[in-house]
Coordinates of all heavy atoms in Angstrom, one line a residue:
M802 N 37.1 28.0 8.9 CA 36.0 28.9 8.4 C 36.4 29.5 7.1 O 37.5 30.0 6.9 CB 35.8 30.0 9.4 CG 34.8 31.0 9.0 SD 34.3 32.2 10.2 CE 35.8 32.7 11.0
L803 N 35.6 29.4 6.1 CA 35.8 29.8 4.8 C 35.2 31.2 4.6 O 34.1 31.4 4.9 CB 35.2 28.9 3.7 CG 35.4 29.3 2.3 CD1 36.8 29.2 1.9 CD2 34.5 28.3 1.4
R804 N 36.1 32.2 4.1 CA 35.6 33.5 3.9 C 36.1 33.9 2.5 O 37.3 33.7 2.1 CB 36.2 34.5 4.8 CG 35.6 34.5 6.2 CD 36.1 35.6 7.0 NE 35.7 35.5 8.4 CZ 36.0 36.4 9.3 NH1 36.6 37.5 9.0 NH2 35.6 36.2 10.5
T805 N 35.2 34.4 1.7 CA 35.6 34.9 0.4 C 35.1 36.4 0.3 O 34.0 36.7 0.9 CB 35.0 34.1 -0.8 OG1 33.6 34.0 -0.7 CG2 35.6 32.7 -0.7
Y806 N 35.7 37.2 -0.5 CA 35.4 38.6 -0.7 C 35.4 38.8 -2.2 O 36.3 38.4 -2.9 CB 36.4 39.5 0.0 CG 36.5 39.3 1.4 CD1 37.6 38.5 1.9 CD2 35.6 39.8 2.3 CE1 37.7 38.3 3.3 CE2 35.8 39.6 3.7 CZ 36.8 38.8 4.2 OH 36.9 38.6 5.5
E807 N 34.3 39.5 -2.7 CA 34.2 40.0 -4.0 C 33.8 41.4 -4.0 O 33.0 41.8 -3.2 CB 33.2 39.1 -4.8 CG 33.5 37.7 -5.0 CD 32.5 36.9 -5.7 OE1 32.1 37.4 -6.8 OE2 32.0 35.9 -5.2
F808 N 34.3 42.2 -5.0 CA 33.9 43.6 -5.1 C 33.5 43.8 -6.6 O 34.2 43.4 -7.5 CB 35.1 44.5 -4.8 CG 35.7 44.2 -3.4 CD1 36.8 43.4 -3.2 CD2 35.0 44.8 -2.3 CE1 37.3 43.2 -1.9 CE2 35.5 44.5 -1.0 CZ 36.6 43.7 -0.8
L809 N 32.4 44.5 -6.7 CA 31.9 44.8 -8.1 C 31.7 46.3 -8.2 O 31.3 47.0 -7.2 CB 30.5 44.1 -8.3 CG 30.4 42.6 -8.3 CD1 29.0 42.2 -8.4 CD2 31.2 42.0 -9.4
Y810 N 32.0 46.9 -9.3 CA 31.7 48.3 -9.6 C 30.8 48.4 -10.8 O 31.1 47.9 -11.8 CB 33.0 49.0 -9.8 CG 33.9 49.1 -8.6 CD1 34.9 48.1 -8.4 CD2 33.7 50.1 -7.7 CE1 35.7 48.2 -7.3 CE2 34.5 50.1 -6.5 CZ 35.5 49.2 -6.4 OH 36.3 49.2 -5.2
L811 N 29.6 48.9 -10.5 CA 28.6 49.0 -11.6 C 28.3 50.5 -11.9 O 27.8 51.2 -11.1 CB 27.2 48.4 -11.1 CG 27.3 47.0 -10.5 CD1 26.0 46.6 -9.9 CD2 27.7 46.0 -11.7
P812 N 28.7 50.9 -13.1 CA 28.5 52.3 -13.5 C 27.0 52.6 -13.8 O 26.3 51.7 -14.4 CB 29.4 52.4 -14.8 CG 29.5 51.1 -15.3 CD 29.4 50.1 -14.1
T813 N 26.5 53.7 -13.4 CA 25.2 54.1 -13.6 C 25.2 55.6 -14.1 O 26.2 56.2 -14.1 CB 24.3 54.0 -12.4 OG1 24.7 54.9 -11.4 CG2 24.3 52.6 -11.8
D814 N 24.0 56.1 -14.4 CA 23.9 57.5 -14.8 C 24.2 58.5 -13.6 O 24.6 59.6 -13.8 CB 22.5 57.8 -15.3 CG 22.3 57.1 -16.7 OD1 23.3 56.7 -17.3 OD2 21.1 56.9 -17.0
V815 N 24.0 58.0 -12.4 CA 24.1 58.9 -11.2 C 25.4 58.7 -10.5 O 25.6 59.3 -9.5 CB 22.9 58.8 -10.3 CG1 21.6 59.3 -11.0 CG2 22.7 57.4 -9.8
G816 N 26.2 57.7 -10.9 CA 27.4 57.4 -10.2 C 27.7 55.9 -10.3 O 27.0 55.2 -11.0
T817 N 28.8 55.5 -9.6 CA 29.2 54.1 -9.6 C 28.7 53.4 -8.4 O 29.0 53.9 -7.3 CB 30.7 54.0 -9.8 OG1 31.1 54.6 -11.0 CG2 31.1 52.5 -9.8
I818 N 28.0 52.3 -8.5 CA 27.6 51.5 -7.4 C 28.7 50.5 -7.0 O 29.2 49.8 -7.9 CB 26.3 50.7 -7.7 CG1 25.2 51.6 -8.0 CG2 26.0 49.8 -6.5 CD1 23.9 50.9 -8.5
R819 N 29.2 50.5 -5.8 CA 30.1 49.5 -5.3 C 29.4 48.5 -4.5 O 28.6 48.7 -3.6 CB 31.2 50.2 -4.4 CG 32.2 49.2 -3.8 CD 33.1 49.8 -2.8 NE 33.8 48.7 -2.1 CZ 35.0 48.8 -1.7 NH1 35.7 49.9 -1.9 NH2 35.6 47.8 -1.0
V820 N 29.6 47.2 -4.9 CA 29.0 46.1 -4.3 C 30.0 45.2 -3.7 O 30.9 44.7 -4.4 CB 28.1 45.3 -5.3 CG1 27.5 44.1 -4.6 CG2 27.1 46.1 -6.0
D821 N 30.0 45.0 -2.4 CA 30.9 44.2 -1.6 C 30.1 42.9 -1.3 O 29.1 42.9 -0.7 CB 31.4 44.8 -0.3 CG 32.1 46.1 -0.6 OD1 32.6 46.3 -1.7 OD2 32.2 46.9 0.3
I822 N 30.7 41.7 -1.6 CA 30.1 40.4 -1.3 C 31.0 39.6 -0.4 O 32.2 39.4 -0.8 CB 29.8 39.7 -2.6 CG1 29.0 40.5 -3.6 CG2 29.1 38.3 -2.3 CD1 28.9 39.9 -5.0
F823 N 30.5 39.2 0.7 CA 31.2 38.4 1.7 C 30.5 37.1 1.8 O 29.3 37.1 1.9 CB 31.3 39.1 3.0 CG 31.8 40.5 3.0 CD1 30.9 41.6 3.0 CD2 33.2 40.8 2.9 CE1 31.4 42.9 2.9 CE2 33.7 42.0 2.9 CZ 32.8 43.1 2.9
Y824 N 31.3 36.0 1.8 CA 30.7 34.7 2.1 C 31.2 34.2 3.4 O 32.4 34.0 3.5 CB 31.0 33.7 1.0 CG 30.4 32.4 1.1 CD1 29.1 32.2 0.9 CD2 31.2 31.3 1.5 CE1 28.5 30.9 1.0 CE2 30.6 30.0 1.7 CZ 29.3 29.8 1.4 OH 28.7 28.6 1.6
K825 N 30.4 34.0 4.4 CA 30.8 33.6 5.7 C 29.7 32.8 6.4 O 28.5 33.2 6.3 CB 31.1 34.8 6.6 CG 31.7 34.5 7.9 CD 32.3 35.8 8.6 CE 31.1 36.7 9.0 NZ 31.6 37.8 9.9
H826 N 30.1 31.7 6.9 CA 29.1 30.8 7.6 C 27.9 30.4 6.7 O 26.8 30.4 7.1 CB 28.6 31.4 8.9 CG 29.6 31.8 9.9 ND1 30.4 30.9 10.5 CD2 30.0 33.0 10.3 CE1 31.2 31.5 11.3 NE2 31.0 32.8 11.2
A827 N 28.3 30.0 5.5 CA 27.3 29.6 4.5 C 26.2 30.6 4.1 O 25.2 30.2 3.6 CB 26.6 28.3 5.0
I828 N 26.5 31.9 4.3 CA 25.6 32.9 3.9 C 26.3 34.0 3.2 O 27.5 34.4 3.6 CB 24.9 33.5 5.2 CG1 24.0 32.4 5.8 CG2 24.1 34.7 4.8 CD1 22.9 32.9 6.7
F829 N 25.7 34.6 2.2 CA 26.3 35.7 1.4 C 25.8 37.0 2.1 O 24.6 37.2 2.2 CB 25.9 35.7 0.0 CG 26.6 34.6 -0.8 CD1 25.9 33.4 -1.0 CD2 27.8 34.7 -1.3 CE1 26.5 32.4 -1.7 CE2 28.5 33.7 -2.0 CZ 27.8 32.5 -2.2
H830 N 26.8 37.8 2.5 CA 26.5 39.2 3.0 C 26.8 40.2 1.9 O 28.0 40.2 1.5 CB 27.3 39.4 4.3 CG 27.0 38.5 5.4 ND1 26.0 38.7 6.3 CD2 27.5 37.2 5.6 CE1 26.0 37.7 7.2 NE2 26.9 36.8 6.8
V831 N 25.9 41.1 1.6 CA 26.2 42.0 0.5 C 25.9 43.4 1.0 O 24.9 43.7 1.7 CB 25.2 41.7 -0.7 CG1 25.4 42.7 -1.8 CG2 25.5 40.3 -1.2
Q832 N 26.9 44.3 0.7 CA 26.7 45.7 0.9 C 26.8 46.5 -0.4 O 27.7 46.2 -1.2 CB 27.8 46.3 1.9 CG 27.6 45.8 3.3 CD 28.7 46.4 4.2 OE1 29.7 46.8 3.8 NE2 28.3 46.5 5.5
A833 N 25.9 47.4 -0.7 CA 25.9 48.2 -1.9 C 26.0 49.7 -1.5 O 25.3 50.1 -0.5 CB 24.7 47.9 -2.7
E834 N 26.8 50.5 -2.2 CA 27.0 51.9 -1.8 C 26.9 52.7 -3.1 O 27.5 52.4 -4.1 CB 28.3 52.1 -1.1 CG 28.6 53.5 -0.7 CD 29.9 53.7 -0.1 OE1 30.7 52.8 0.0 OE2 30.2 54.9 0.3
L835 N 26.2 53.8 -3.0 CA 26.1 54.8 -4.1 C 26.0 56.2 -3.5 O 25.1 56.5 -2.8 CB 24.9 54.5 -5.0 CG 24.6 55.5 -6.0 CD1 25.7 55.6 -7.1 CD2 23.2 55.2 -6.7
N836 N 27.0 57.0 -3.8 CA 26.9 58.5 -3.4 C 26.7 58.6 -1.9 O 25.9 59.4 -1.5 CB 25.9 59.2 -4.2 CG 26.2 59.3 -5.6 OD1 27.4 59.2 -6.0 ND2 25.2 59.4 -6.5
G837 N 27.3 57.8 -1.0 CA 27.1 57.9 0.4 C 26.0 57.2 1.0 O 25.8 57.1 2.2
L838 N 25.1 56.6 0.1 CA 24.0 55.8 0.6 C 24.4 54.4 0.6 O 25.1 53.9 -0.3 CB 22.8 56.0 -0.3 CG 22.1 57.3 -0.4 CD1 21.1 57.4 -1.4 CD2 21.6 57.7 1.0
M839 N 24.1 53.6 1.7 CA 24.5 52.2 1.8 C 23.3 51.3 2.1 O 22.5 51.7 2.9 CB 25.6 52.1 2.8 CG 26.1 50.7 2.9 SD 27.5 50.6 4.1 CE 28.8 51.2 3.0
S840 N 23.3 50.2 1.6 CA 22.3 49.2 1.9 C 23.0 47.8 2.1 O 24.1 47.6 1.6 CB 21.3 49.0 0.8 OG 21.8 48.5 -0.3
S841 N 22.4 46.9 2.9 CA 23.0 45.6 3.1 C 21.9 44.6 3.2 O 20.8 44.9 3.6 CB 23.9 45.6 4.3 OG 23.1 45.9 5.5
S842 N 22.3 43.4 2.8 CA 21.3 42.3 2.9 C 22.1 41.0 3.0 O 23.4 40.9 2.8 CB 20.4 42.2 1.7 OG 21.2 41.9 0.5
Y843 N 21.4 39.9 3.2 CA 22.1 38.6 3.2 C 21.1 37.5 2.8 O 19.9 37.7 2.9 CB 22.6 38.3 4.6 CG 21.6 38.2 5.7 CD1 21.0 37.1 6.0 CD2 21.3 39.4 6.4 CE1 20.0 37.0 7.0 CE2 20.3 39.4 7.4 CZ 19.7 38.2 7.7 OH 18.8 38.2 8.7
D844 N 21.7 36.4 2.2 CA 20.9 35.3 1.8 C 21.8 34.1 1.5 O 23.0 34.3 1.4 CB 20.2 35.7 0.5 CG 19.0 34.8 0.2 OD1 19.2 33.6 -0.1 OD2 17.8 35.3 0.3
R845 N 21.2 33.0 1.4 CA 22.1 31.8 1.1 C 22.5 31.7 -0.3 O 23.4 31.1 -0.7 CB 21.3 30.5 1.5 CG 21.2 30.3 3.0 CD 20.7 28.9 3.4 NE 20.6 28.8 4.8 CZ 21.6 28.5 5.6 NH1 22.8 28.3 5.1 NH2 21.4 28.3 6.9
K846 N 21.7 32.4 -1.2 CA 22.1 32.5 -2.6 C 22.6 33.8 -2.9 O 22.1 34.9 -2.6 CB 20.8 32.3 -3.5 CG 20.2 30.9 -3.3 CD 19.0 30.7 -4.2 CE 18.4 29.4 -4.1 NZ 17.2 29.2 -4.9
K847 N 23.8 33.8 -3.6 CA 24.5 35.1 -3.9 C 23.6 36.0 -4.8 O 23.5 37.2 -4.5 CB 25.8 34.8 -4.7 CG 26.6 36.1 -4.9 CD 27.7 35.9 -5.9 CE 28.7 34.8 -5.6 NZ 29.9 34.8 -6.5
V848 N 22.9 35.5 -5.8 CA 22.1 36.3 -6.7 C 21.0 37.0 -5.9 O 20.7 38.2 -6.1 CB 21.6 35.5 -7.8 CG1 20.6 36.3 -8.7 CG2 22.7 35.0 -8.7
D849 N 20.3 36.3 -5.0 CA 19.2 36.8 -4.2 C 19.7 37.9 -3.3 O 19.1 38.9 -3.1 CB 18.5 35.8 -3.5 CG 17.7 34.8 -4.4 OD1 17.5 35.2 -5.5 OD2 17.4 33.7 -3.9
A850 N 20.9 37.7 -2.7 CA 21.5 38.7 -1.7 C 21.8 40.0 -2.5 O 21.5 41.1 -2.0 CB 22.7 38.1 -1.0
V851 N 22.4 39.8 -3.7 CA 22.7 41.0 -4.5 C 21.5 41.8 -4.9 O 21.4 43.0 -4.8 CB 23.6 40.6 -5.7 CG1 23.8 41.8 -6.6 CG2 25.0 40.1 -5.2
K852 N 20.5 41.0 -5.4 CA 19.2 41.7 -5.8 C 18.6 42.4 -4.6 O 18.1 43.6 -4.8 CB 18.2 40.6 -6.2 CG 18.5 40.1 -7.6 CD 17.4 39.0 -8.0 CE 17.6 38.4 -9.3 NZ 16.6 37.4 -9.6
K853 N 18.5 41.8 -3.4 CA 17.9 42.5 -2.3 C 18.7 43.8 -1.9 O 18.1 44.8 -1.7 CB 17.9 41.6 -1.1 CG 17.0 40.4 -1.1 CD 17.1 39.5 0.1 CE 16.3 38.3 0.0 NZ 16.5 37.4 1.2
S854 N 20.0 43.7 -2.0 CA 20.8 44.9 -1.6 C 20.6 46.0 -2.6 O 20.5 47.2 -2.2 CB 22.3 44.5 -1.5 OG 23.0 45.6 -1.0
L855 N 20.6 45.7 -3.9 CA 20.4 46.7 -4.9 C 19.0 47.3 -4.9 O 18.9 48.5 -5.1 CB 20.7 46.1 -6.3 CG 22.2 45.8 -6.6 CD1 22.4 45.1 -7.9 CD2 23.1 47.0 -6.5
L856 N 18.0 46.5 -4.6 CA 16.7 47.0 -4.5 C 16.6 48.0 -3.3 O 16.0 49.0 -3.4 CB 15.7 45.8 -4.3 CG 14.2 46.2 -4.2 CD1 13.8 47.0 -5.5 CD2 13.4 45.0 -4.0
L857 N 17.1 47.6 -2.2 CA 17.1 48.5 -1.0 C 17.9 49.8 -1.3 O 17.4 50.9 -0.9 CB 17.8 47.8 0.2 CG 16.9 46.7 0.8 CD1 17.8 46.0 1.9 CD2 15.7 47.3 1.5
L858 N 19.0 49.7 -2.0 CA 19.8 50.9 -2.4 C 18.9 51.8 -3.3 O 18.9 53.0 -3.2 CB 21.1 50.5 -3.1 CG 22.0 51.6 -3.4 CD1 22.5 52.4 -2.2 CD2 23.2 51.1 -4.2
A859 N 18.2 51.2 -4.3 CA 17.4 52.0 -5.2 C 16.3 52.7 -4.4 O 16.0 53.9 -4.7 CB 16.8 51.1 -6.3
K860 N 15.7 52.0 -3.4 CA 14.7 52.7 -2.6 C 15.2 53.8 -1.8 O 14.6 54.9 -1.7 CB 14.0 51.6 -1.7 CG 13.1 50.7 -2.4 CD 12.5 49.7 -1.4 CE 11.6 48.7 -2.1 NZ 11.1 47.7 -1.2
E861 N 16.4 53.6 -1.2 CA 17.1 54.7 -0.5 C 17.4 55.9 -1.4 O 17.2 57.0 -1.0 CB 18.3 54.2 0.2 CG 18.1 53.4 1.4 CD 19.3 53.1 2.2 OE1 20.3 53.9 2.2 OE2 19.4 52.0 2.8
H862 N 17.9 55.6 -2.6 CA 18.3 56.6 -3.5 C 17.1 57.4 -3.9 O 17.1 58.6 -4.0 CB 19.0 56.1 -4.7 CG 19.4 57.1 -5.7 ND1 20.4 58.0 -5.5 CD2 18.9 57.3 -6.9 CE1 20.5 58.8 -6.6 NE2 19.6 58.4 -7.4
H863 N 16.0 56.7 -4.2 CA 14.8 57.4 -4.6 C 14.2 58.3 -3.5 O 13.7 59.4 -3.7 CB 13.7 56.4 -5.0 CG 12.5 57.0 -5.5 ND1 12.4 57.7 -6.7 CD2 11.2 57.1 -5.0 CE1 11.2 58.1 -6.9 NE2 10.5 57.8 -5.8
A864 N 14.3 57.8 -2.2 CA 13.8 58.5 -1.1 C 14.7 59.7 -0.6 O 14.2 60.7 -0.2 CB 13.5 57.6 0.1
F865 N 16.0 59.4 -0.6 CA 16.9 60.4 0.0 C 17.9 61.1 -0.9 O 18.3 62.2 -0.7 CB 17.7 59.7 1.2 CG 16.8 59.1 2.2 CD1 16.8 57.7 2.3 CD2 16.1 59.9 3.1 CE1 16.0 57.2 3.3 CE2 15.3 59.3 4.0 CZ 15.2 58.0 4.1
G866 N 18.4 60.4 -1.9 CA 19.5 60.9 -2.7 C 19.1 61.3 -4.1 O 20.0 61.7 -4.8
H867 N 17.9 61.3 -4.4 CA 17.5 61.7 -5.8 C 17.3 63.2 -5.9 O 16.5 63.8 -5.3 CB 16.1 61.0 -6.1 CG 15.7 61.1 -7.6 ND1 16.5 60.6 -8.6 CD2 14.7 61.8 -8.2 CE1 15.9 60.8 -9.7 NE2 14.8 61.6 -9.5
H868 N 18.3 63.8 -6.7 CA 18.3 65.3 -6.8 C 18.0 65.6 -8.3 O 18.6 65.1 -9.2 CB 19.6 65.9 -6.4 CG 20.0 65.5 -5.0 ND1 19.4 66.0 -3.9 CD2 20.9 64.7 -4.6 CE1 20.0 65.5 -2.8 NE2 20.9 64.7 -3.2
E869 N 17.0 66.4 -8.5 CA 16.7 66.8 -9.9 C 16.8 68.3 -10.0 O 16.5 69.1 -9.1 CB 15.3 66.4 -10.3 CG 15.2 64.9 -10.4 CD 13.9 64.5 -11.0 OE1 13.2 65.3 -11.7 OE2 13.5 63.3 -10.9

């Protein structure tokens, strides 16, 4: 079984997004975290999995973590 792990750190105006990418059983599993909020997604294509996870994180941040 092949497993790979990648970690990305994306700086933003509200903090740094940590993106964890795991490849297992021919599927990319992605977790994104920002200021205690976390989202996860999976897809056969890495780019699509990352997009889905970041979109979910943006929705969570807008709904729960957006402080003005």
Side-chain angles (χ1 to χ4, degrees):
M802 174 171 44
L803 177 67
R804 288 187 187 184
T805 59
Y806 302 97
E807 296 179 51
F808 304 98
L809 301 172
Y810 293 92
L811 306 171
T813 67
D814 293 339
V815 295
T817 300
I818 299 172
R819 177 185 166 145
V820 181
D821 301 338
I822 304 170
F823 307 98
Y824 182 74
K825 185 170 71 171
H826 301 296
I828 295 200
F829 289 97
H830 300 266
V831 178
Q832 290 184 334
E834 181 182 3
L835 173 65
N836 297 334
L838 298 172
M839 183 175 281
S840 67
S841 62
S842 66
Y843 59 91
D844 200 289
R845 291 195 179 272
K846 294 181 182 178
K847 185 192 305 188
V848 173
D849 291 341
V851 172
K852 283 181 184 179
K853 288 177 187 177
S854 187
L855 290 176
L856 181 61
L857 288 171
L858 184 65
K860 287 179 180 179
E861 283 188 33
H862 177 69
H863 183 72
F865 303 111
H867 189 66
H868 304 288
E869 291 188 21

